[in-house]
């Protein structure tokens, strides 16, 4: 038998692992799987429903109506020159995408233990497919936003995007990666100790209120300045506010806040990736 | 020239016993603290040997310990061992579902496993969509699946339902579809756990045939895990035996199977001296029984159609009459006689055998199908009427028969407590 050098081996399975072991070549080989997962996620959600894909529209629309009723009509929160409904719809569309990325990926390990326990494929495919399939849904919901945008324009409201609209892709990526990063951290932490799962669902709904979704950030800075830091240090609030700012040209935007959110996102994502990588190899023993 | 395609070096796997609780957290913190200081994991030093029946004394167990072996290209390697010997853990590590605690596995080819069929089927998707999804999960690309889709559908025999959601399928159809996808995988190394027992008889035949094609015809490297010794013997070129998480034997398939059957042996003889549920006048008593293979080694099981020797020891307490009759009847678990041997048909002088202290019964070919049988032993005077009984024990011992391939067809004979009749169909 010839002496075999390490370079001849296709891959090695061992207990030792690198800090970030992100094998792009392997993920690329499984790209078809990623596409199929995305397709599955999108097509199966509304199977056997009468309204079908219309449900993609109904959820943000109704939420916006309720928000407008509660926060703007009853609680009389001012949204400035922007029609409250459009204001809420914009915020909810952005928030929803972040939320589904977070909650969708936070259950990666526990939700897929059955599949993960039997076959190997790069585990990161799962959270990636969640982010991508929700991006498609987000795109559809963006269309609704566009329809109402045009409607309010025709009604003579003075709304227009500003030059920040060029950063649109950056904001999308930030929402996706922040949700993905935090989601991966949670999914990794819940494989052994389930405590966090209890927290996630209600923490996320609480997070919405400190993320400036149903009200502009300026509102809290005026009325409750002592609590404004809660929003200013919240990267999600920075992203939502910035997203609204570029679309509606209203609200608070600071480059400092933007950079802060961006750095936070990158750190959360990298940290998520590391902890996810560490977990994926043995989680099946503890899940 | 032979080429090593898979190299397993010092693979060990440690598991925690018991529940995940507060003790786990303190262990985790301790482990973390050791790692921060650059020391090795303190819990790697402890850990009990993987013995299912022994009492758990420690918190950790070694499911696998220092497994080393190599697999050559094109080889069909059998992995045999009792329940809990570590076979599945080894396969899980090989298929990268979990990683080893220590050691490494180096491979030159892609490994795919048939650990469980039907993984990742989505009930809302149609059969065809699920073929693509399942194929992709198992590591095929879309193009590979498209090239084989007709073959897969035909193999599954579910053509009519292929555009119907899988949730409407019968469970058998689901398994057929799943196996069809898995059977068309083309990895360099295929890991097969006992998944062959799926579907109805017709499909099983198809599945086993396909497995044989893969391992024989196509020259694929296969790791085959099975409890069926005959299947291992007929499919594998080499085998390893796992026991309590260690690799206790590696080598030729036949030798490995022999080793395994022996390692299963009940260390003592089957003691019958103290059995009270016996009848007869007790002038001679059956004291113990040994079940032996062709090398005169004690075994627990015999493969259907192979050599079996039963050695029965007698103790003589009194003077016994001439013309003894000795008989063994082989019964199934429902107490129905399936076969018998009676010495007076064979003109054997039992008296001289008894006086020497033991009787040996040799079956050159034990022609009973796979299953568990029990034997009733009778020693009696010149007629077998019950008043002449000297010693008779019902269900004196069990004969454990493993499935065999009597007709040399590459297919296992069905398990059923019946004799096999040598026959030829023209």
């Amino acid at each position: 038998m010839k002496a075999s050098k390490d370079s001849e081996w296709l891959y090695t399975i061992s207990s030792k692992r690198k800090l970030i072991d992100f094998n792009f070549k392997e993920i690329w080989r499984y790209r078809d799987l990623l596409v199929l997962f995305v397709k599955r996620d999108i097509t199966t959600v509304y199977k056997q429903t009468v309204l079908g894909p219309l449900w993609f529209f109904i959820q943000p629309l109704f939420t916006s109506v309720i928000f407008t009723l509660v926060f703007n009509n009853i609680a009389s929160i001012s949204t400035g020159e922007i029609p409250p409904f459009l204001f809420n719809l914009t915020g909810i569309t952005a928030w929803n995408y972040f939320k589904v990325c977070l909650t969708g990926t936070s259950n990666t390990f526990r939700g897929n233990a059955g599949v993960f326990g039997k076959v190997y494929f790069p585990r990161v495919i799962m959270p990636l497919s969640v982010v991508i399939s929700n991006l498609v849904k987000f795109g559809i919901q963006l269309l609704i936003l566009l329809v109402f945008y045009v409607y309010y324009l025709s009604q003579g409201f003075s709304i227009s995007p500003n030059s920040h609209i060029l950063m649109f892709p950056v904001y999308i990526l930030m929402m996706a990666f922040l949700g993905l990063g935090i989601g991966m951290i949670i999914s990794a932490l819940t494989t052994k100790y389930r405590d966090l799962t209890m927290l996630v669902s209600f923490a996320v709904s609480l997070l919405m209120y400190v993320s400036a979704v149903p009200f502009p950030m300026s509102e809290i800075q005026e009325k409750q300045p002592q609590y404004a830091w809660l929003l200013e240090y919240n990267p999600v609030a920075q992203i939502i506010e910035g997203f609204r700012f570029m679309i509606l040209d209203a609200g608070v935007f600071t480059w400092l806040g933007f950079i802060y959110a961006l750095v936070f996102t990158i750190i959360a994502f990298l940290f998520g990736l590391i902890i996810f990588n560490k977990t994926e190899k043995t989680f099946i023993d503890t899940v | 020239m032979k080429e090593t395609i898979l190299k397993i070096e010092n693979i060990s796997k440690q598991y925690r016993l018991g529940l995940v609780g507060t003790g786990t957290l303190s262990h985790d913190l301790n482990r973390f603290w050791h790692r921060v200081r650059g020391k090795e994991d303190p819990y790697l030093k402890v850990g009990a040997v993987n013995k299912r029946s022994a009492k758990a004394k420690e918190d950790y167990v070694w499911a696998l310990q220092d497994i080393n072996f190599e697999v050559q290209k094109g080889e069909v390697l059998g992995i045999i061992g009792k329940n809990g010997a570590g076979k599945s853990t080894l396969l899980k590590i090989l298929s990268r579902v979990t990683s080893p605690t220590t050691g490494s596995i180096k491979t030159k080819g892609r490994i795919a496993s048939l650990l469980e069929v039907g993984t990742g089927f989505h009930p809302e998707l149609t059969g065809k969509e699920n073929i693509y999804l399942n194929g992709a999960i198992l590591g095929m690309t879309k193009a590979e699946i498209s090239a084989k889709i007709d073959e897969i559908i035909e193999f599954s025999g579910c053509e009519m339902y292929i555009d119907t959601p899988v949730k409407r399928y019968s469970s058998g159809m689901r398994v057929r579809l799943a196996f069809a996808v898995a059977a068309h995988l083309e990895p360099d190394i295929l890991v097969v756990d006992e998944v062959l027992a799926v579907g109805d008889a017709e499909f099983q035949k198809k599945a086993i045939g396909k497995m044989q094609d893969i391992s024989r015809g196509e020259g694929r490297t296969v790791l085959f895990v099975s409890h069926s010794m005959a299947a291992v013997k007929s499919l594998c070129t080499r085998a390893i035996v796992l026991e309590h998480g260690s690799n206790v034997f590696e080598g030729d398939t036949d030798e490995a199977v022999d080793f395994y059957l022996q390692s299963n042996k009940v260390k003592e003889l089957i003691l019958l001296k103290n059995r009270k549920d016996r009848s007869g006048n007790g002038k001679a008593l059956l004291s113990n029984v040994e079940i032996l293979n062709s090398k005169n080694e004690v075994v627990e099981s015999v493969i259907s159609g192979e050599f079996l020797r039963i050695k029965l020891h007698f103790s003589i307490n009194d003077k016994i009459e001439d013309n003894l009759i000795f008989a063994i009847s082989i019964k199934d678990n429902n107490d129905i006689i399936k076969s018998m041997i009676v010495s007076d048909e064979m003109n054997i002088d039992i008296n001289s055998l008894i006086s020497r202290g033991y009787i040996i019964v040799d079956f050159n070919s034990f022609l009973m199908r796979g299953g568990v049988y029990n034997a009733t032993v009778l020693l009696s005077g010149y007629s077998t009427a019950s008043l002449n009984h000297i010693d008779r024990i019902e269900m004196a011992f069990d004969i454990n028969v493993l499935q065999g391939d009597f007709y040399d067809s590459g297919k296992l004979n069905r398990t059923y407590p019946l004799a096999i009749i040598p026959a030829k169909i023209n």
Side-chain angles (χ1 to χ4, degrees), chain A residues 1-2 4 6 8-17 26 29-33 35-37 39-40 43-44 47-48 114-121 123 192-193 278 280-286, chain B residues 4-5 7 13 15 20 24-25 28 35 70 93-111 113 115-116 119 122 124-125 129 132-133 136-139 141-142 167-168:
Chain A
M1 200 195 306
K2 61 180 172 181
S4 31
D6 270 0
E8 285 175 8
W9 302 105
L10 186 67
Y11 59 85
T12 303
I13 304 166
S14 83
S15 56
K16 295 178 193 71
R17 52 202 87 142
E26 197 179 29
R29 220 173 57 69
Y30 277 91
R31 63 192 181 278
D32 288 336
L33 181 63
V35 173
L36 284 164
F37 273 142
K39 235 163 103 181
R40 180 196 69 177
T43 55
T44 55
K47 280 225 169 151
Q48 276 202 9
V115 183
F116 284 0
K118 281 159 199 155
V119 270
Y120 173 82
F121 52 86
R123 304 313 193 200
K192 201 162 190 178
Y193 304 106
K278 244 180 78 64
E280 67 173 7
K281 296 198 173 155
T282 51
F283 90 96
I284 205 71
D285 304 334
T286 53
Chain B
T4 307
I5 192 165
K7 196 171 181 180
K13 178 76 185 174
Y15 279 112
V20 172
T24 337
L25 188 59
D28 281 354
R35 207 169 51 221
E70 287 183 11
I93 293 171
L94 279 169
S95 51
R96 292 209 276 173
V97 164
T98 181
S99 78
T101 309
T102 65
S104 67
I105 294 171
K106 291 172 180 160
T107 171
K108 280 181 192 159
R110 280 169 54 200
I111 304 175
S113 62
L115 284 189
E116 201 117 353
T119 312
H122 195 291
E124 297 287 352
L125 296 175
E129 286 167 331
Y132 277 98
L133 184 63
I137 288 177
L138 293 173
T141 64
K142 209 171 169 184
K167 63 177 174 182
R168 308 262 177 256

